[in-house]
Amino acid sequence: RSSLLKSYSLPLDLLSLVLEKNPSKPVPGVQIRQDGGVRGVQLSSPDSSMSFPASELLANCDLFPKIFSIVLTLKFSKVAPKVRIYVRQRKATHGRVALGLKFSRKRLKFFFKGQGEVTEHWVFRGTPLADTQWHTLVLVAGRHHVRLTVDCDPPLEIVPPRPFPSDLNVQGSRFHIGSRGRWKGLFSGLIRQLVLVPDADATHHICPSSHPRLAALSVPPVLLDMPHQGSEDDRHLSSPDQQVSVGLERSCSDSQQGQLWFNPLRKGLYICDGAMWITVLEDHKRLDYVLEHQVISTSSETHDVEVFIVPGMGLMAAMAHQSTVSGSAVYRWNHTGFQLYQNISTQGALAWRHFTLGKKVLLSTESEGDFSVVYKWSRRRKKFVAVQTLKTYCARDWEAFTITNQHYLAVANHRKGNNNHTIDSVIYKWNRLTKSFGVHQMLQTSGAYDWEFFTVGPYDFLVVANAFDGVTTSVDSVIYVWVNASFQEFQRIKTFCATDWEMFQIGSRVFLVVANGHRLHGNKPSQYTINSTIYELDMGAQLFVRFQDIVTHSAVDWEFFSLGEEYFLVVANSFNGESYSLNSILYRWQGYEGFVPIHWLPTIGCSDWEYFTTGGESYLIYSSAKAPLSKVFKLKTY
């Protein structure tokens, strides 16, 4: 098994194995047909060509993987109310079926040889597949559950009485696609994609998708190039010096260089550069470039900026200024940029947090002293006024959240005095009778810098960024889960001066990204250029696991946002050991590749990023902890 997983970490394209045995001649019993502008395989007769030994796929391993995904794109025949497709293994010695898939109009059945040679059946009902439409299915067998996702819709899930066997021996077996070499059960529709993914949930790799019925993980090359003659769904337009092909998918290679392709679903026009399709025109809103929109001269350096909306007033931004003389400030957007609206007396403010309680609009601020203040928006006076002072210890962050209609505030207490970093941070609960926040729960933290609250399904989580324990920045940050009206430890993750957590979702996938500030231990010099890490929630293991490392320079903040169908992260790089004048970097989600850098934004001691929209436009604003300015960037789209 270990050899299998090391050798086959990538998807295993079963359909390509039978279609590419001999590319110079057609496969017996197989026809390539086009339907709806998309090509698929049709089985005209049962033939041994649609099978192959298991040893060709699972090299150096006799056991079928116990955790796996099967990805399948198919279209049923109009004339067959009940049809079946088999992806089976059969013992060469006595013809026993080891495992397989069966389809009918509204049911999918996965079956396999369990303990004592007894055949186990996992049945998914209510899947309307025989509607003459293309469908992409992902069957995932995990440790404790089996999930079926159809066209990237919410999955169907069953919990089988027994897990998939870890010792299913396939030595001497054969894979059969479409049938077991006989007319009975021969699949009469079209197959476009058939992929086995060992030891992984492939749903995450193909969903979300702009056209989920044809979401592709690995499609055989022969099915990517559309026929040049065709129908309304697939036709060519010619001009003297170029061709424009129309359809849902095209391959791009040296032979297609300079060819134009129009995708009717995306409403996009693309040109082939010999290796990949370059966008010429596209209807979806996509990020083009980032333009500096406004430079805000602030009264002092700024640790944090919070952007929010006040009913009747519009968009506002609260900035946490370091100055104890001029205090902090609230700005209001006036269609062209932020203008100073209100000064608020603060003592070395570190952060602002906006939240609402019913119709109440509140702001809480943290300071370097031993207290924090909650402010309420006065509709009569049209400004924020102090309503409650809370005992805190160099508080770095507030997080507001609601659980079962109860309102809470979590404060990140950083340290008592100059040396005591291992102290309690506090969860406060809103008391409707006293109209104030009271202590609900204490959680021990180590130089806490940030709280992040998030919900996954029915579960509520709170994660703390622990930065320093008095000796080292290599400390555990902790994820808590809400159980019986309090937070209990869920998972520990090793971090290095963690300053921020950001939770985000892409489709059904749940991620947490941490900003690691620097490595420090004892009297050794600090390392400021280190990895910050994105973690993904493994639903089966019920743990966050490492997904991607990104090199950052004393990162202090991450901000996630989306534009159209694209997803982005921007990091606040603050210091590289020599300079505070650094590029903070904007990353774009690229699926398999994770997040890749696309824009470098010059910043000075960047301390925070916030994304906001107004007037149909999208913006980013950053605050500087080393210069008396903040900048607003406009995101130009096309």
Side-chain angles (χ1 to χ4, degrees):
R1 181 70 56 84
S2 61
S3 175
L4 164 71
L5 298 183
K6 289 178 182 177
S7 302
Y8 294 97
S9 58
L10 296 176
L12 308 177
D13 188 343
L14 277 64
L15 200 54
S16 288
L17 277 176
V18 296
L19 296 180
E20 297 179 4
K21 287 180 180 178
N22 187 348
S24 62
K25 65 178 184 179
V27 181
V30 172
Q31 294 179 343
I32 305 298
R33 280 197 52 210
Q34 178 184 311
D35 196 313
V38 181
R39 299 184 90 185
V41 169
Q42 184 176 50
L43 306 179
S44 56
S45 64
D47 195 278
S48 61
S49 61
M50 292 301 287
S51 71
F52 54 87
S55 58
E56 290 186 14
L57 189 73
L58 308 177
N60 304 317
C61 183
D62 296 332
L63 300 180
F64 196 83
K66 61 182 178 181
I67 300 172
F68 61 91
S69 301
I70 296 175
V71 182
L72 178 64
T73 300
L74 58 92
K75 180 183 175 72
F76 281 93
S77 165
K78 294 181 181 180
V79 298
K82 288 188 178 181
V83 291
R84 295 176 178 178
I85 177 171
Y86 292 91
V87 185
R88 288 190 167 187
Q89 297 173 302
R90 185 177 63 181
K91 288 289 186 182
T93 53
H94 50 76
R96 288 291 304 274
V97 174
L99 60 89
L101 279 174
K102 282 184 180 181
F103 293 85
S104 64
R105 182 186 292 275
K106 293 185 179 181
R107 186 174 66 175
L108 177 145
K109 180 189 291 185
F110 178 77
F111 57 98
F112 56 88
K113 185 176 64 179
Q115 293 182 350
E117 303 293 314
V118 176
T119 301
E120 301 272 356
H121 296 267
W122 296 343
V123 181
F124 291 92
R125 305 179 189 277
T127 56
L129 301 175
D131 57 0
T132 70
Q133 299 290 322
W134 284 101
H135 294 286
T136 293
L137 300 85
V138 185
L139 176 72
V140 181
R143 291 180 177 88
H144 308 291
H145 63 275
V146 188
R147 272 200 322 273
L148 176 67
T149 301
V150 180
D151 302 333
C152 291
D153 286 337
L156 303 173
E157 186 167 333
I158 59 176
V159 179
R162 289 168 295 278
F164 189 79
S166 60
D167 58 352
L168 181 59
N169 196 304
V170 294
Q171 184 181 18
S173 299
R174 294 185 68 85
F175 277 82
H176 294 261
I177 298 175
S179 80
R180 288 180 290 162
R182 56 194 186 191
W183 281 101
K184 184 179 180 181
L186 180 70
F187 179 60
S188 59
L190 297 176
I191 312 172
R192 177 171 177 79
Q193 176 178 220
L194 181 56
V195 183
L196 172 66
V197 186
D199 199 42
D201 182 349
T203 315
H204 300 159
H205 299 304
I206 64 173
C207 295
S209 171
S210 57
H211 35 95
R213 291 181 183 271
L214 293 166
L217 184 62
S218 181
V219 175
V222 68
L223 301 181
L224 291 177
D225 290 324
M226 308 294 179
H228 290 182
Q229 74 280 4
S231 61
E232 291 185 11
D233 294 314
D234 184 58
R235 57 193 182 275
H236 270 70
L237 310 177
S238 299
S239 67
D241 54 357
Q242 63 183 7
Q243 282 189 325
V244 179
S245 59
V246 180
L248 297 183
E249 287 188 79
R250 289 291 186 275
S251 66
C252 174
S253 60
D254 288 338
S255 60
Q256 283 87 31
Q257 186 169 0
Q259 181 177 315
L260 294 172
W261 162 44
F262 178 74
N263 185 316
L265 280 183
R266 295 182 185 174
K267 298 180 181 178
L269 182 66
Y270 312 89
I271 187 169
C272 176
D273 69 354
M276 62 184 295
W277 291 104
I278 306 300
T279 303
V280 178
L281 293 171
E282 194 167 46
D283 187 51
H284 294 304
K285 190 175 185 180
R286 293 176 179 266
L287 180 62
D288 189 5
Y289 62 93
V290 181
L291 178 69
E292 185 176 295
H293 178 76
Q294 182 187 13
V295 178
I296 304 171
S297 295
T298 54
S299 59
S300 75
E301 297 82 356
T302 306
H303 282 293
D304 178 74
V305 58
E306 178 84 343
V307 180
F308 54 93
I309 292 176
V310 174
M313 298 297 293
L315 190 73
M316 306 189 88
M319 297 192 185
H321 296 330
Q322 292 181 13
S323 173
T324 59
V325 178
S326 59
S328 294
V330 176
Y331 293 78
R332 184 184 180 193
W333 185 268
N334 68 355
H335 303 296
T336 59
F338 284 110
Q339 301 297 323
L340 181 62
Y341 182 82
Q342 179 185 356
N343 285 308
I344 297 177
S345 177
T346 55
Q347 300 294 317
L350 296 173
W352 285 100
R353 182 66 66 208
H354 159 263
F355 59 102
T356 59
L357 293 177
K359 294 183 179 181
K360 298 183 180 71
V361 178
L362 296 102
L363 276 175
S364 58
T365 183
E366 304 84 38
S367 70
E368 293 179 348
D370 291 339
F371 65 91
S372 295
V373 181
V374 179
Y375 296 85
K376 174 187 172 183
W377 175 257
S378 170
R379 284 178 287 179
R380 181 178 63 85
R381 301 171 64 182
K382 295 192 181 304
K383 68 177 185 178
F384 285 98
V385 296
V387 292
Q388 186 177 3
T389 300
L390 297 168
K391 181 72 173 178
T392 56
Y393 300 96
C394 194
R396 293 283 181 173
D397 181 59
W398 284 101
E399 182 77 347
F401 53 91
T402 301
I403 300 177
T404 59
N405 296 319
Q406 298 294 323
H407 303 289
Y408 300 87
L409 274 177
V411 64
N413 283 326
H414 186 64
R415 69 175 187 270
K416 285 184 181 179
N418 293 323
N419 299 315
N420 190 4
H421 290 79
T422 302
I423 58 176
D424 285 333
S425 290
V426 184
I427 312 296
Y428 295 91
K429 182 179 179 181
W430 178 254
N431 187 316
R432 290 185 173 90
L433 295 177
T434 63
K435 295 184 179 180
S436 62
F437 285 97
V439 174
H440 176 75
Q441 184 181 3
M442 316 279 276
L443 294 170
Q444 190 177 83
T445 53
S446 298
Y449 231 96
D450 179 65
W451 285 108
E452 177 82 349
F453 175 82
F454 60 97
T455 299
V456 180
Y459 301 104
D460 298 302
F461 295 91
L462 191 65
V463 55
V464 64
N466 283 327
F468 187 57
D469 64 1
V471 177
T472 178
T473 60
S474 177
V475 294
D476 287 343
S477 290
V478 184
I479 304 172
Y480 299 91
V481 63
W482 183 262
V483 179
N484 297 327
S486 66
F487 285 104
Q488 299 182 18
E489 186 174 311
F490 174 78
Q491 182 182 355
R492 287 178 171 265
I493 296 177
K494 182 67 70 178
T495 53
F496 303 92
C497 189
T499 54
D500 181 59
W501 283 102
E502 179 88 348
M503 177 270 186
F504 58 93
Q505 289 187 253
I506 298 178
S508 61
R509 304 174 71 175
V510 178
F511 297 91
L512 274 175
V513 58
V514 64
N516 283 323
H518 65 277
R519 289 178 184 263
L520 170 67
H521 186 82
N523 295 323
K524 295 180 181 179
S526 292
Q527 293 176 267
Y528 296 96
T529 299
I530 60 175
N531 285 333
S532 291
T533 302
I534 302 172
Y535 298 88
E536 181 176 5
L537 180 59
D538 184 325
M539 297 292 188
Q542 297 185 351
L543 289 173
F544 282 90
V545 297
R546 184 185 301 270
F547 172 77
Q548 182 182 0
D549 289 323
I550 297 176
V551 176
T552 53
H553 307 283
S554 194
V556 291
D557 183 58
W558 285 101
E559 179 78 357
F560 174 82
F561 63 94
S562 61
L563 273 175
E565 296 181 351
E566 295 187 322
Y567 304 95
F568 301 90
L569 276 173
V570 60
V571 66
N573 284 324
S574 66
F575 184 58
N576 64 2
E578 297 179 354
S579 174
Y580 295 100
S581 296
L582 301 172
N583 284 324
S584 290
I585 300 177
L586 181 63
Y587 299 85
R588 180 170 58 205
W589 172 253
Q590 292 288 95
Y592 257 138
E593 300 174 65
F595 284 91
V596 300
I598 58 166
H599 288 286
W600 286 257
L601 307 174
T603 54
I604 303 171
C606 186
S607 58
D608 188 34
W609 281 103
E610 290 291 320
Y611 168 80
F612 64 94
T613 60
T614 182
E617 302 288 351
S618 299
Y619 300 87
L620 284 169
I621 182 173
Y622 97 87
S623 57
S624 170
K626 293 297 174 181
L629 61 85
S630 290
K631 283 189 179 182
V632 178
F633 294 90
K634 188 174 185 178
L635 305 181
K636 300 293 289 183
T637 58
Y638 63 94

